Amino acid sequence: MKKPAHVGFPIHDLMRERWSPRAFLDQPVEHAKLMSLLEAARWAPSSYNEQPWFYLVGAKGTPEYQKLFGCLVEANQAWAGAAAVLMISVVKKTFDKNGKPNRCAFHDVGLASENMVLEAVSLGLAAHGMAGIDVEKVRDAYKLPDNCEPMAAWAIGYPGEPEMLQGELKEREKAPRVRKELKDFVFGETWGKAANL
């Protein structure tokens, strides 16, 4: 299923076609495609080139996948187990060079993840990000260092059809995509006042 965005100004088709389905086909993601997703994340920009991102990864049918699945909240477990690949992004909150806080680290992990998501679209895949993880379970299960924080889970695979889902999930899958208008977040001379572009 495709749900291209209805844009106000032209943008690249990869961004128009990117969305977050919950229905996935029972089809593995080829190794080469999975590696391309991670390579795309690798080449994201970051403050001082720190690259403060890490990904915990598991393919369906492996112990790694089950471990990741167990770190999802119940609402996400209801659908994410159909995805061919699960990941959890992790951020390192301090600089390697001096151990000081890296206030851009969370931003940079987002950039890496968006690179991965757009690469997924280019390969005919979909990636659905989820905030719904048990952070302490992730910390314990993976023995994360104190300066690392679990960020989000990712369900990745070939997108399916809404009919594969039940109830509210099916309705949410069919719902139109909506976004704020530019005037609601692009400001000019003062906070809250739309930029005069």
Side-chain angles (χ1 to χ4, degrees):
M1 176 178 171
K2 295 194 175 203
K3 284 175 74 167
H6 299 287
V7 297
F9 297 92
I11 62 173
H12 197 284
D13 282 346
L14 287 177
M15 289 178 275
R16 283 189 67 240
E17 294 172 14
R18 186 226 58 83
W19 73 291
S20 301
R22 292 173 182 83
F24 288 94
L25 299 177
D26 185 16
Q27 180 179 343
V29 171
E30 299 85 346
H31 180 262
K33 288 187 177 183
L34 177 57
M35 298 311 291
S36 289
L37 299 185
L38 296 166
E39 186 72 10
R42 177 179 175 229
W43 286 100
S46 62
S47 178
Y48 292 101
N49 197 28
E50 278 282 322
Q51 304 162 52
W53 50 76
F54 299 87
Y55 291 90
L56 309 170
V57 184
K60 196 168 188 175
T62 66
E64 293 86 356
Y65 186 96
Q66 283 307 118
K67 189 173 183 179
L68 290 162
F69 183 79
C71 292
L72 302 179
V73 299
E74 189 176 338
N76 288 332
Q77 287 180 344
W79 60 268
V85 176
L86 292 177
M87 297 186 189
I88 292 179
S89 54
V90 176
V91 61
K92 184 176 181 186
K93 300 181 289 185
T94 56
F95 285 111
D96 285 337
K97 63 181 181 178
N98 57 20
K100 291 184 178 178
N102 177 356
R103 83 176 183 83
C104 289
F106 292 88
H107 174 270
D108 295 345
V109 174
L111 289 171
S113 294
E114 181 67 356
N115 268 17
M116 180 180 70
V117 167
L118 292 177
E119 184 67 17
V121 174
S122 80
L123 297 173
L125 300 167
H128 186 124
M130 300 167 270
I133 57 175
D134 185 326
V135 171
E136 290 311 313
K137 190 179 276 190
V138 176
R139 286 185 176 289
D140 293 343
Y142 291 91
K143 309 291 185 246
L144 296 186
D146 290 343
N147 63 345
C148 289
E149 179 81 16
M151 288 283 302
W154 297 92
I156 298 167
Y158 287 94
E161 295 297 326
E163 287 69 30
M164 300 169 74
L165 301 169
Q166 302 295 318
E168 181 194 354
L169 290 177
K170 182 194 273 188
E171 296 311 310
R172 289 170 71 185
E173 199 83 346
K174 291 179 176 182
R177 297 172 62 193
V178 295
R179 288 294 186 277
K180 294 177 182 177
E181 297 294 329
L182 294 180
K183 64 180 178 57
D184 296 326
F185 67 91
V186 180
F187 301 151
E189 67 180 68
T190 187
W191 183 264
K193 183 173 180 178
N196 184 19
L197 297 176

